[in-house]
Amino acid sequence: MLKKFISFFSGGSAQTNTESTSKKEFAMFCNQCEQTAKGTGCTKVGVCGKQPEVSDIQDLVVYSLRGLALAAQKTGNKDAALGHFAAKMLFTTLTNVNFDPARFQTFINQIVAKRDEILAKGGASFSSGPAAFKPAATIDGLVAQAEGHGVANFDSNDDIRSVKQLLVYGMKGLAAYTDHAAVLGQQDQAVYDFLYKGLAAGYDGVERDLNAWVGLLLECGNVNLRAMELLDAGNTGTYGHPVPTEVPLGQKKGKAILVSGHDLKDLYELLKQTEGKGINIYTHGEMLPCHGYPELKKFPHFYGHYGTAWQNQQKEFPAFPGAILFTTNCIQKPADNYSANVFTTGLVGWPGLVHCENHDFSAVIKRALELPGFTEDTPGKTVMTGFGRNAVLSVADKVIDGVKAGAIRHFFLVGGCDGAKPGRNYYTEFVEKTPKDTIVLTLACGKFRFFDKQIGDIGGIPRLLDVGQCNDAYSAVQIALALAGAFNCGVNDLPLSLVLSWYEQKAVVILLTLLALGIKDIRLGPTLPAFVSPNVLNFLVENYNIKPITTPDEDLKAILG
């Protein structure tokens, strides 16, 4: 199939793997998220709030990591700690993780120090390129050094550049899942080896034509399936398999801490440290599915969920009368009316905020006790979560019987990232209009468009099943594979349609995983990625039948007939 890719390009000539040949320079250029300015790229300041110097230094982090990867490959380094470090550093450049230039300066110095250490131990050296890069001593100096290393300079050929960007963004998503898994003790050297391979590509002296670059994309997708498997093993092995759980959306009288992001271990450590202190713990955003894990549910002060998706935090957080802790990605610029209540941990960073190291959340707890908390009980709706693969497959016989009897006509996976850009109400309307004999699986923060909708059940099985976080995409894949096995067919032959929303790089790598699995007919929105060139899009349409969303009515009619 990969050879078909070449036919989309004039002349089909091989493209060699060189450093950037584009001479166009930008003070800032970033197009890695769905909300990028004008649908092409942010050139003055990021729509996410990222400042130009942060964007430039993040480019330099990636360039420095290319040098570390080259060093690891040349010396044959198989140290898992080094691999995890590289994944963490790449994760810091993912959208809405870290906005602090001083932290990035530290990261770059650490990357180069580790590179030089392993080169010295291995008796190896490089005279030029990223493995010989020496960082400047100041942030301004680093910004100057970053010139020419951004994605706009990846290649002069639009299509080669597009595929290289897909690879880098995919690896950022892969790095995130890899870090989440490693934090819980789940690692595989093969994942780190691929990160080195992907980062080194373009600087390793290997000539690659377009076909070879596409091969790396699909390899990234395959490796990410392994990373998500590791993460699933870490989450379920540590905290148990999620069980269907009713989660309050109201508030309980008392002091309060709100936890956002994705990290289960951070939440667990906070729950332990707040036992007996009269503080109720609430989840925000992608932390909602944490309520389904048995080892987290054991804490009586783990109460409910507050707010919706990440992009609404500046509207919702001023009313939260407690401390707020950000784990992993999803942070926005904290507004002045609540910034004193916001804390970060792990890889998250925002200039001026208190950062909690080594799971020491005493500063968060102190602030929560200073703030008023909720002064009275406020009843509200409840929502269900906890429909991971074990929960769904435990009733697989009922699902299969329902399909055979005609009670269940079709399955929809409606999930992915949410965002502020217009057009995302499509997903709300789509779910509301799904026929009563269909089931909707959902995951990630895209569900906040419809997570509290009451759309009924089929024979006692809820029609809306929350599989979990974007981190739980492995569960969704395993559910699909199990159903295909039960019906003795391929996933593409199931009465299953994927209707996905995307925002950041985790969504990019999940898409690569779906493509690597050969899954077709994916509907993607609300807009297509700015970094996918027309020819690359043609390839995806021709080989995988990827299509943009249109309207709920038109898409439902096309799917169901």
Side-chain angles (χ1 to χ4, degrees), residues 527-548:
T527 60
L528 295 178
F531 47 83
V532 173
S533 69
N535 284 329
V536 173
L537 178 59
N538 284 342
F539 170 77
L540 297 176
V541 171
E542 288 282 334
N543 290 281
Y544 297 98
N545 202 26
I546 285 183
K547 54 189 67 113

PDB file of all heavy atoms in Angstrom, residues 527-548:
ATOM      1  N   THR A 527     -12.259  20.447  11.977  1.00  0.00           N
ATOM      2  CA  THR A 527     -11.559  20.791  10.738  1.00  0.00           C
ATOM      3  C   THR A 527     -10.416  19.794  10.571  1.00  0.00           C
ATOM      4  O   THR A 527     -10.003  19.136  11.526  1.00  0.00           O
ATOM      5  CB  THR A 527     -10.976  22.219  10.785  1.00  0.00           C
ATOM      6  OG1 THR A 527     -10.048  22.316  11.879  1.00  0.00           O
ATOM      7  CG2 THR A 527     -12.072  23.256  10.943  1.00  0.00           C
ATOM      8  N   LEU A 528      -9.908  19.698   9.362  1.00  0.00           N
ATOM      9  CA  LEU A 528      -8.786  18.804   9.124  1.00  0.00           C
ATOM     10  C   LEU A 528      -7.483  19.490   9.518  1.00  0.00           C
ATOM     11  O   LEU A 528      -7.387  20.722   9.502  1.00  0.00           O
ATOM     12  CB  LEU A 528      -8.757  18.386   7.656  1.00  0.00           C
ATOM     13  CG  LEU A 528      -9.965  17.554   7.203  1.00  0.00           C
ATOM     14  CD1 LEU A 528      -9.854  17.227   5.719  1.00  0.00           C
ATOM     15  CD2 LEU A 528     -10.093  16.279   8.016  1.00  0.00           C
ATOM     16  N   PRO A 529      -6.461  18.738   9.884  1.00  0.00           N
ATOM     17  CA  PRO A 529      -5.193  19.337  10.344  1.00  0.00           C
ATOM     18  C   PRO A 529      -4.557  20.249   9.304  1.00  0.00           C
ATOM     19  O   PRO A 529      -4.472  19.900   8.119  1.00  0.00           O
ATOM     20  CB  PRO A 529      -4.309  18.106  10.609  1.00  0.00           C
ATOM     21  CG  PRO A 529      -5.273  17.002  10.893  1.00  0.00           C
ATOM     22  CD  PRO A 529      -6.441  17.266  10.002  1.00  0.00           C
ATOM     23  N   ALA A 530      -4.080  21.398   9.750  1.00  0.00           N
ATOM     24  CA  ALA A 530      -3.439  22.355   8.849  1.00  0.00           C
ATOM     25  C   ALA A 530      -2.137  21.817   8.288  1.00  0.00           C
ATOM     26  O   ALA A 530      -1.688  22.254   7.223  1.00  0.00           O
ATOM     27  CB  ALA A 530      -3.182  23.669   9.595  1.00  0.00           C
ATOM     28  N   PHE A 531      -1.518  20.863   8.984  1.00  0.00           N
ATOM     29  CA  PHE A 531      -0.215  20.356   8.551  1.00  0.00           C
ATOM     30  C   PHE A 531      -0.328  19.188   7.571  1.00  0.00           C
ATOM     31  O   PHE A 531       0.687  18.635   7.161  1.00  0.00           O
ATOM     32  CB  PHE A 531       0.633  19.948   9.761  1.00  0.00           C
ATOM     33  CG  PHE A 531      -0.093  19.103  10.772  1.00  0.00           C
ATOM     34  CD1 PHE A 531      -0.217  17.733  10.605  1.00  0.00           C
ATOM     35  CD2 PHE A 531      -0.659  19.690  11.895  1.00  0.00           C
ATOM     36  CE1 PHE A 531      -0.888  16.955  11.525  1.00  0.00           C
ATOM     37  CE2 PHE A 531      -1.330  18.922  12.830  1.00  0.00           C
ATOM     38  CZ  PHE A 531      -1.444  17.559  12.641  1.00  0.00           C
ATOM     39  N   VAL A 532      -1.547  18.799   7.218  1.00  0.00           N
ATOM     40  CA  VAL A 532      -1.723  17.738   6.223  1.00  0.00           C
ATOM     41  C   VAL A 532      -1.874  18.388   4.851  1.00  0.00           C
ATOM     42  O   VAL A 532      -2.842  19.096   4.594  1.00  0.00           O
ATOM     43  CB  VAL A 532      -2.952  16.867   6.548  1.00  0.00           C
ATOM     44  CG1 VAL A 532      -3.219  15.878   5.415  1.00  0.00           C
ATOM     45  CG2 VAL A 532      -2.716  16.104   7.852  1.00  0.00           C
ATOM     46  N   SER A 533      -0.913  18.145   3.981  1.00  0.00           N
ATOM     47  CA  SER A 533      -0.942  18.747   2.649  1.00  0.00           C
ATOM     48  C   SER A 533      -2.025  18.083   1.793  1.00  0.00           C
ATOM     49  O   SER A 533      -2.481  16.975   2.098  1.00  0.00           O
ATOM     50  CB  SER A 533       0.418  18.583   1.970  1.00  0.00           C
ATOM     51  OG  SER A 533       0.638  17.209   1.650  1.00  0.00           O
ATOM     52  N   PRO A 534      -2.467  18.737   0.718  1.00  0.00           N
ATOM     53  CA  PRO A 534      -3.503  18.148  -0.137  1.00  0.00           C
ATOM     54  C   PRO A 534      -3.159  16.761  -0.655  1.00  0.00           C
ATOM     55  O   PRO A 534      -4.014  15.880  -0.697  1.00  0.00           O
ATOM     56  CB  PRO A 534      -3.628  19.166  -1.281  1.00  0.00           C
ATOM     57  CG  PRO A 534      -3.221  20.471  -0.674  1.00  0.00           C
ATOM     58  CD  PRO A 534      -2.142  20.122   0.300  1.00  0.00           C
ATOM     59  N   ASN A 535      -1.914  16.540  -1.031  1.00  0.00           N
ATOM     60  CA  ASN A 535      -1.537  15.221  -1.537  1.00  0.00           C
ATOM     61  C   ASN A 535      -1.550  14.152  -0.454  1.00  0.00           C
ATOM     62  O   ASN A 535      -1.938  13.008  -0.691  1.00  0.00           O
ATOM     63  CB  ASN A 535      -0.158  15.280  -2.192  1.00  0.00           C
ATOM     64  CG  ASN A 535      -0.203  15.921  -3.564  1.00  0.00           C
ATOM     65  OD1 ASN A 535      -1.200  15.824  -4.269  1.00  0.00           O
ATOM     66  ND2 ASN A 535       0.870  16.595  -3.938  1.00  0.00           N
ATOM     67  N   VAL A 536      -1.126  14.526   0.753  1.00  0.00           N
ATOM     68  CA  VAL A 536      -1.172  13.572   1.862  1.00  0.00           C
ATOM     69  C   VAL A 536      -2.625  13.252   2.201  1.00  0.00           C
ATOM     70  O   VAL A 536      -2.982  12.097   2.460  1.00  0.00           O
ATOM     71  CB  VAL A 536      -0.420  14.131   3.086  1.00  0.00           C
ATOM     72  CG1 VAL A 536      -0.610  13.225   4.298  1.00  0.00           C
ATOM     73  CG2 VAL A 536       1.067  14.269   2.777  1.00  0.00           C
ATOM     74  N   LEU A 537      -3.470  14.282   2.166  1.00  0.00           N
ATOM     75  CA  LEU A 537      -4.896  14.044   2.412  1.00  0.00           C
ATOM     76  C   LEU A 537      -5.476  13.117   1.349  1.00  0.00           C
ATOM     77  O   LEU A 537      -6.252  12.203   1.660  1.00  0.00           O
ATOM     78  CB  LEU A 537      -5.654  15.370   2.430  1.00  0.00           C
ATOM     79  CG  LEU A 537      -7.174  15.264   2.641  1.00  0.00           C
ATOM     80  CD1 LEU A 537      -7.494  14.578   3.971  1.00  0.00           C
ATOM     81  CD2 LEU A 537      -7.816  16.647   2.595  1.00  0.00           C
ATOM     82  N   ASN A 538      -5.086  13.314   0.106  1.00  0.00           N
ATOM     83  CA  ASN A 538      -5.557  12.430  -0.967  1.00  0.00           C
ATOM     84  C   ASN A 538      -5.190  10.977  -0.680  1.00  0.00           C
ATOM     85  O   ASN A 538      -5.987  10.060  -0.906  1.00  0.00           O
ATOM     86  CB  ASN A 538      -4.957  12.856  -2.310  1.00  0.00           C
ATOM     87  CG  ASN A 538      -5.624  14.091  -2.870  1.00  0.00           C
ATOM     88  OD1 ASN A 538      -6.722  14.456  -2.465  1.00  0.00           O
ATOM     89  ND2 ASN A 538      -4.948  14.756  -3.795  1.00  0.00           N
ATOM     90  N   PHE A 539      -3.969  10.784  -0.194  1.00  0.00           N
ATOM     91  CA  PHE A 539      -3.524   9.431   0.133  1.00  0.00           C
ATOM     92  C   PHE A 539      -4.409   8.823   1.219  1.00  0.00           C
ATOM     93  O   PHE A 539      -4.817   7.655   1.138  1.00  0.00           O
ATOM     94  CB  PHE A 539      -2.071   9.458   0.581  1.00  0.00           C
ATOM     95  CG  PHE A 539      -1.593   8.160   1.164  1.00  0.00           C
ATOM     96  CD1 PHE A 539      -1.275   7.093   0.332  1.00  0.00           C
ATOM     97  CD2 PHE A 539      -1.467   7.995   2.539  1.00  0.00           C
ATOM     98  CE1 PHE A 539      -0.831   5.884   0.869  1.00  0.00           C
ATOM     99  CE2 PHE A 539      -1.031   6.797   3.069  1.00  0.00           C
ATOM    100  CZ  PHE A 539      -0.714   5.732   2.238  1.00  0.00           C
ATOM    101  N   LEU A 540      -4.707   9.604   2.257  1.00  0.00           N
ATOM    102  CA  LEU A 540      -5.537   9.104   3.348  1.00  0.00           C
ATOM    103  C   LEU A 540      -6.950   8.797   2.881  1.00  0.00           C
ATOM    104  O   LEU A 540      -7.563   7.811   3.304  1.00  0.00           O
ATOM    105  CB  LEU A 540      -5.559  10.121   4.494  1.00  0.00           C
ATOM    106  CG  LEU A 540      -4.218  10.403   5.171  1.00  0.00           C
ATOM    107  CD1 LEU A 540      -4.352  11.493   6.212  1.00  0.00           C
ATOM    108  CD2 LEU A 540      -3.642   9.132   5.798  1.00  0.00           C
ATOM    109  N   VAL A 541      -7.473   9.627   2.003  1.00  0.00           N
ATOM    110  CA  VAL A 541      -8.817   9.398   1.465  1.00  0.00           C
ATOM    111  C   VAL A 541      -8.829   8.149   0.589  1.00  0.00           C
ATOM    112  O   VAL A 541      -9.709   7.291   0.706  1.00  0.00           O
ATOM    113  CB  VAL A 541      -9.304  10.626   0.672  1.00  0.00           C
ATOM    114  CG1 VAL A 541     -10.599  10.308  -0.072  1.00  0.00           C
ATOM    115  CG2 VAL A 541      -9.512  11.815   1.613  1.00  0.00           C
ATOM    116  N   GLU A 542      -7.846   8.031  -0.290  1.00  0.00           N
ATOM    117  CA  GLU A 542      -7.799   6.912  -1.222  1.00  0.00           C
ATOM    118  C   GLU A 542      -7.615   5.574  -0.507  1.00  0.00           C
ATOM    119  O   GLU A 542      -8.205   4.569  -0.891  1.00  0.00           O
ATOM    120  CB  GLU A 542      -6.656   7.104  -2.226  1.00  0.00           C
ATOM    121  CG  GLU A 542      -6.916   8.203  -3.250  1.00  0.00           C
ATOM    122  CD  GLU A 542      -7.870   7.739  -4.346  1.00  0.00           C
ATOM    123  OE1 GLU A 542      -7.934   6.524  -4.605  1.00  0.00           O
ATOM    124  OE2 GLU A 542      -8.554   8.605  -4.921  1.00  0.00           O
ATOM    125  N   ASN A 543      -6.796   5.551   0.520  1.00  0.00           N
ATOM    126  CA  ASN A 543      -6.439   4.283   1.144  1.00  0.00           C
ATOM    127  C   ASN A 543      -7.221   3.957   2.413  1.00  0.00           C
ATOM    128  O   ASN A 543      -7.355   2.786   2.770  1.00  0.00           O
ATOM    129  CB  ASN A 543      -4.943   4.268   1.454  1.00  0.00           C
ATOM    130  CG  ASN A 543      -4.108   4.181   0.192  1.00  0.00           C
ATOM    131  OD1 ASN A 543      -3.951   3.113  -0.384  1.00  0.00           O
ATOM    132  ND2 ASN A 543      -3.593   5.320  -0.260  1.00  0.00           N
ATOM    133  N   TYR A 544      -7.735   4.986   3.084  1.00  0.00           N
ATOM    134  CA  TYR A 544      -8.441   4.743   4.339  1.00  0.00           C
ATOM    135  C   TYR A 544      -9.846   5.340   4.361  1.00  0.00           C
ATOM    136  O   TYR A 544     -10.562   5.179   5.352  1.00  0.00           O
ATOM    137  CB  TYR A 544      -7.627   5.311   5.513  1.00  0.00           C
ATOM    138  CG  TYR A 544      -6.292   4.650   5.674  1.00  0.00           C
ATOM    139  CD1 TYR A 544      -5.136   5.231   5.148  1.00  0.00           C
ATOM    140  CD2 TYR A 544      -6.163   3.433   6.338  1.00  0.00           C
ATOM    141  CE1 TYR A 544      -3.900   4.620   5.295  1.00  0.00           C
ATOM    142  CE2 TYR A 544      -4.928   2.821   6.482  1.00  0.00           C
ATOM    143  CZ  TYR A 544      -3.798   3.426   5.956  1.00  0.00           C
ATOM    144  OH  TYR A 544      -2.568   2.813   6.096  1.00  0.00           O
ATOM    145  N   ASN A 545     -10.222   6.033   3.320  1.00  0.00           N
ATOM    146  CA  ASN A 545     -11.538   6.659   3.226  1.00  0.00           C
ATOM    147  C   ASN A 545     -11.814   7.597   4.404  1.00  0.00           C
ATOM    148  O   ASN A 545     -12.943   7.698   4.883  1.00  0.00           O
ATOM    149  CB  ASN A 545     -12.638   5.600   3.126  1.00  0.00           C
ATOM    150  CG  ASN A 545     -13.912   6.173   2.511  1.00  0.00           C
ATOM    151  OD1 ASN A 545     -13.862   7.134   1.746  1.00  0.00           O
ATOM    152  ND2 ASN A 545     -15.054   5.596   2.858  1.00  0.00           N
ATOM    153  N   ILE A 546     -10.771   8.287   4.866  1.00  0.00           N
ATOM    154  CA  ILE A 546     -10.971   9.329   5.879  1.00  0.00           C
ATOM    155  C   ILE A 546     -11.758  10.462   5.257  1.00  0.00           C
ATOM    156  O   ILE A 546     -11.513  10.856   4.111  1.00  0.00           O
ATOM    157  CB  ILE A 546      -9.613   9.834   6.409  1.00  0.00           C
ATOM    158  CG1 ILE A 546      -9.017   8.801   7.359  1.00  0.00           C
ATOM    159  CG2 ILE A 546      -9.760  11.166   7.118  1.00  0.00           C
ATOM    160  CD1 ILE A 546      -7.719   9.234   7.995  1.00  0.00           C
ATOM    161  N   LYS A 547     -12.696  10.993   6.009  1.00  0.00           N
ATOM    162  CA  LYS A 547     -13.514  12.071   5.463  1.00  0.00           C
ATOM    163  C   LYS A 547     -13.807  13.103   6.542  1.00  0.00           C
ATOM    164  O   LYS A 547     -13.853  12.761   7.726  1.00  0.00           O
ATOM    165  CB  LYS A 547     -14.820  11.510   4.898  1.00  0.00           C
ATOM    166  CG  LYS A 547     -15.619  10.662   5.857  1.00  0.00           C
ATOM    167  CD  LYS A 547     -16.772   9.968   5.160  1.00  0.00           C
ATOM    168  CE  LYS A 547     -16.317   8.952   4.177  1.00  0.00           C
ATOM    169  NZ  LYS A 547     -16.634   7.563   4.505  1.00  0.00           N
ATOM    170  N   PRO A 548     -13.967  14.356   6.154  1.00  0.00           N
ATOM    171  CA  PRO A 548     -14.341  15.371   7.142  1.00  0.00           C
ATOM    172  C   PRO A 548     -15.808  15.224   7.520  1.00  0.00           C
ATOM    173  O   PRO A 548     -16.624  14.725   6.730  1.00  0.00           O
ATOM    174  CB  PRO A 548     -14.095  16.688   6.398  1.00  0.00           C
ATOM    175  CG  PRO A 548     -14.266  16.340   4.954  1.00  0.00           C
ATOM    176  CD  PRO A 548     -13.772  14.928   4.813  1.00  0.00           C
TER     177      PRO A 548
END
